[in-house]
């Protein structure tokens, strides 16, 4: 089963309070912007030269936090009862 197929089997209960926040000032000084490449659901995108982040589809893998050399990411799990649930469908 490939990633695309696996992603059809997850459900989200989105918390409107973001569980991940980024410091865009630090992002502007980031040379390689690795978050653009590691997030499996492309929550980090580049728009007009700026990193734009959305948390709603987060799989809670933690990869962005690990690769962010600038420590620009404030990361936590969603509040209890929110976030991703696996193995549906
Ligand atoms: S890796 Fe960190 S500092 Fe660099 S663009 Fe992504 S969130 Fe910003
Ligand atoms: S924790 Fe994983 S899925 Fe969530 S934003 Fe970071 S890289 Fe993407």
């Amino acid at each position: 089963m490939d990633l695309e197929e696996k992603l059809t089997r997850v459900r989200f209960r989105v918390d409107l309070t973001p569980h991940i926040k980024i410091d865009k000032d630090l992002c502007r000084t980031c040379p390689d912007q690795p978050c653009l490449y590691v997030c499996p659901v492309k929550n980090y995108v580049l728009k007009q030269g700026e990193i734009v982040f959305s948390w709603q589809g987060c799989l809670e893998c933690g990869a962005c936090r690990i690769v962010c050399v600038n420590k620009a990411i404030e990361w936590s799990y969603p509040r209890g009862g929110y976030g991703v649930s696996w193995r549906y469908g």
Side-chain angles (χ1 to χ4, degrees):
M1 182 186 299
D2 63 18
L3 178 61
E4 294 299 320
E5 196 175 344
K6 285 179 180 169
L7 289 177
T8 66
R9 300 186 181 209
V10 299
R11 286 185 186 165
F12 298 96
R13 185 165 178 237
V14 175
D15 187 350
L16 295 180
T17 303
H19 64 284
I20 299 173
K21 295 176 187 167
I22 65 170
D23 183 335
K24 289 193 176 189
D25 288 336
L26 289 173
C27 294
R28 289 186 194 102
T29 69
C30 184
D32 299 321
Q33 300 175 322
C35 56
L36 293 172
Y37 309 104
V38 300
C39 179
V41 288
K42 310 286 184 205
N43 275 358
Y44 295 82
V45 295
L46 205 53
K47 286 191 181 162
Q48 298 176 334
E50 292 262 316
I51 294 284
V52 176
F53 172 70
S54 58
W55 73 96
Q56 290 90 339
C58 177
L59 297 176
E60 301 165 29
C61 70
C64 55
R65 176 177 54 173
I66 292 168
V67 300
C68 181
V69 290
N70 275 359
K71 308 284 185 217
I73 298 175
E74 191 182 310
W75 199 102
S76 63
Y77 285 105
R79 291 182 297 164
Y82 292 98
V84 66
S85 300
W86 301 89
R87 299 184 182 172
Y88 287 93

